[in-house]
Amino acid sequence: MSLRNALLGLLVFRPGSGYDLLKMFDTSLGYVWPAKQSQIYGELTKLDATGLIKVTEEGPRGRKQYSLTPAGHAETVRWLTESRESRPQRNPMLLQTFFLGLLPREEAVQRLLDHAEASAKEHDTLVALRDTEDWDKDMLTVCGRLVLEHGIRQRVLEQEWARWAADQLRAGHAVDPDGGPTGVPGKETDTEEPSAANASDA
Amino acid sequence: MSLRNALLGLLVFRPGSGYDLLKMFDTSLGYVWPAKQSQIYGELTKLDATGLIKVTEEGPRGRKQYSLTPAGHAETVRWLTESRESRPQRNPMLLQTFFLGLLPREEAVQRLLDHAEASAKEHDTLVALRDTEDWDKDMLTVCGRLVLEHGIRQRVLEQEWARWAADQLRAGHAVDPDGGPTGVPGKETDTEEPSAANASDA
DNA sequence: TCCTTCATGTAACCGGTTACATGATTGT
DNA sequence: ACAATCATGTAACCGGTTACATGAAGGA
């Protein structure tokens, strides 16, 4: 239901067409909630049908300008106050990290350092964006700035964590006494066999 | 395609049934990649059909124990080395933050503080988990620990950011005197004054 | 004229969620 | 005997992605 609320949210500030909204997704909102053209148009049609928005003006190329109805405004406020949205749960990068032990140690370490570097680049981009934009014009950009700051901090976290994790893996090359490979094994055992992990089910 | 790889990854360490895998998702992997029972069974069937896993043993209640085939192992390594997965993009909480200006200022601030507190609680849970688990038994838990640490740092970030953001909103001054209708700023381009959320505060 | 941008729509597909349905085995 | 757990499957639905399709308006 979140795309729905994203569209309503944008329409609170000013009426707009599907095309206008698409632009906003692509330039700003898409950082936290991406949406494709086909989905936006479909959702707008539904929103119109349920009476949360309506066409208030028609323009040149079949352009339909949508505005919020009172019901739409109420729904937006309700969404903001009543629903407590949680963090995103699916993280592909952490999923890979979970299985990083299957790679030779150096490769695993390198993957983490690559992630750190990629995050650093993204960090710089976001900082540049923060310092470029003409902020504080309206509430949308005031809150947009809060969101952007979150992104910046996030990239710092990714960097620091990835470097720490790389260190952890590097440090883990102690050979354990009871035979099993405790750290990340080298290339010896990992070709064909599902070698592994342990038998220590105690 | 990530569920697929998650299943393969788990099966590298030890063979298991759909039921076993479901348990692992619910207890550990699910933190970064949740999966439901129906999806797991469906995916295992597909994986079996494509020859990446196979049934190596049948148990009591129609239990089918799956193991990786060499092709499945190769695919897992390929996934880890070749694909560079990105960060999650959809964040419902940040989406709401984007529109927080529609609420009266105190309410918006409170939402952020609530988020900080919720994150603090999650933080404590994760720290407890870190200090309870019997770690370093095998590679899975070594890397699991890296992932857990990420979660802990993430919660710290959320707290710090949310408190900072609350301060930012609070610092935004000036109740606009004419009192716009319930939080819609409209077209007033009052230059650099960050226009207040709305007039609902006294 | 021709290219770009504006502008909307639809159909097929895929991954994930909810819910239903069934039954065997084990422990108390 | 009964409940809990083990164990698998399927069908309907929903949100999101890819791709296709169409055409008007404006500027070079």
Side-chain angles (χ1 to χ4, degrees):
Chain A
M1 286 284 92
S2 283
L3 172 65
R4 194 185 139 100
N5 293 293
L7 289 168
L8 292 173
L10 287 172
L11 287 175
V12 169
F13 294 95
R14 59 183 62 90
S17 65
Y19 194 82
D20 293 336
L21 292 162
L22 177 60
K23 286 292 163 58
M24 292 192 230
F25 272 90
D26 286 348
T27 56
S28 59
L29 236 205
Y31 284 88
V32 293
W33 202 273
K36 298 295 169 73
Q37 178 261 353
S38 63
Q39 209 192 350
I40 291 174
Y41 283 106
E43 197 63 41
L44 284 172
T45 308
K46 279 188 218 160
L47 244 15
D48 192 11
T50 50
L52 295 175
I53 62 177
K54 64 176 180 230
V55 179
T56 48
E57 199 186 310
E58 309 222 7
R61 290 148 277 234
R63 176 192 163 96
K64 289 186 276 185
Q65 182 164 278
Y66 292 101
S67 303
L68 273 197
T69 62
H73 191 276
E75 161 59 16
T76 304
V77 172
R78 190 208 58 75
W79 168 64
L80 280 172
T81 48
E82 284 180 25
S83 86
R84 200 123 290 162
E85 306 276 7
S86 59
R87 329 212 59 266
Q89 60 313 37
R90 252 167 265 267
N91 188 326
M93 181 256 143
L94 288 180
L95 178 61
Q96 287 194 328
T97 303
F98 203 88
F99 296 115
L100 225 44
L102 300 175
L103 294 182
R105 184 182 304 116
E106 308 137 48
E107 275 184 50
V109 166
Q110 194 54 51
R111 295 274 319 184
L112 289 165
L113 295 180
D114 286 353
H115 176 63
E117 210 187 322
S119 300
K121 283 217 178 82
E122 288 170 14
H123 175 267
D124 293 347
T125 310
L126 294 177
V127 167
L129 187 64
R130 180 185 61 188
D131 299 338
T132 306
E133 287 289 330
D134 47 341
W135 293 97
D136 299 299
K137 281 279 165 74
D138 57 41
M139 284 309 295
L140 225 167
T141 57
V142 166
C143 289
R145 191 167 195 168
L146 300 182
V147 172
L148 179 55
E149 176 71 20
H150 188 282
I152 291 170
R153 292 179 181 220
Q154 182 75 53
R155 297 320 187 282
V156 172
L157 181 148
E158 296 298 335
Q159 266 181 88
E160 290 174 353
W161 169 82
R163 288 194 224 283
W164 167 86
D167 282 347
Q168 290 295 114
L169 280 194
R170 264 195 293 249
H173 57 128
V175 185
D176 68 325
D178 56 320
T182 304
V184 184
K187 291 172 164 228
E188 318 91 35
T189 46
D190 65 354
T191 33
E192 214 98 358
E193 284 186 314
S195 62
N198 66 358
S200 59
D201 249 43
Chain B
M1 287 283 91
S2 281
L3 172 65
R4 194 186 140 100
N5 293 292
L7 290 168
L8 291 173
L10 287 172
L11 287 175
V12 170
F13 295 97
R14 59 181 67 89
S17 65
Y19 194 82
D20 294 336
L21 292 163
L22 177 60
K23 286 292 164 58
M24 292 192 231
F25 272 90
D26 287 347
T27 56
S28 58
L29 236 205
Y31 283 88
V32 292
W33 203 273
K36 297 296 169 72
Q37 178 261 352
S38 61
Q39 209 192 350
I40 291 176
Y41 282 106
E43 197 63 41
L44 284 172
T45 307
K46 278 188 219 161
L47 246 12
D48 192 11
T50 50
L52 295 175
I53 62 176
K54 63 178 181 228
V55 180
T56 48
E57 199 185 311
E58 310 220 8
R61 289 148 275 234
R63 177 191 163 95
K64 288 187 274 185
Q65 182 164 280
Y66 290 100
S67 303
L68 274 197
T69 61
H73 190 274
E75 161 59 18
T76 304
V77 172
R78 189 207 59 73
W79 168 65
L80 281 172
T81 48
E82 284 180 27
S83 86
R84 200 123 292 164
E85 306 276 7
S86 59
R87 326 215 61 264
Q89 60 316 34
R90 250 167 265 268
N91 189 326
M93 182 256 143
L94 288 180
L95 178 62
Q96 286 195 330
T97 303
F98 203 87
F99 296 114
L100 223 46
L102 300 175
L103 294 181
R105 193 199 318 280
E106 308 137 47
E107 275 184 50
V109 166
Q110 194 53 51
R111 294 275 317 185
L112 289 165
L113 294 179
D114 287 351
H115 177 63
E117 211 188 321
S119 300
K121 284 218 178 82
E122 289 171 14
H123 175 268
D124 293 346
T125 310
L126 293 177
V127 166
L129 188 64
R130 180 185 59 188
D131 299 338
T132 306
E133 287 289 329
D134 46 343
W135 292 99
D136 298 298
K137 281 276 171 73
D138 57 43
M139 289 184 298
L140 224 166
T141 57
V142 166
C143 289
R145 191 165 196 170
L146 301 182
V147 172
L148 179 54
E149 176 70 21
H150 187 283
I152 292 170
R153 290 178 182 223
Q154 181 75 53
R155 297 319 187 283
V156 172
L157 181 149
E158 296 297 335
Q159 265 181 90
E160 291 175 350
W161 169 82
R163 289 194 224 284
W164 167 86
D167 282 347
Q168 291 294 113
L169 280 194
R170 262 194 294 249
H173 41 286
V175 186
D176 53 340
D178 75 328
T182 47
V184 191
K187 299 180 190 280
E188 65 215 55
T189 26
D190 277 337
T191 64
E192 54 222 280
E193 295 294 327
S195 45
N198 63 38
S200 304
D201 45 19

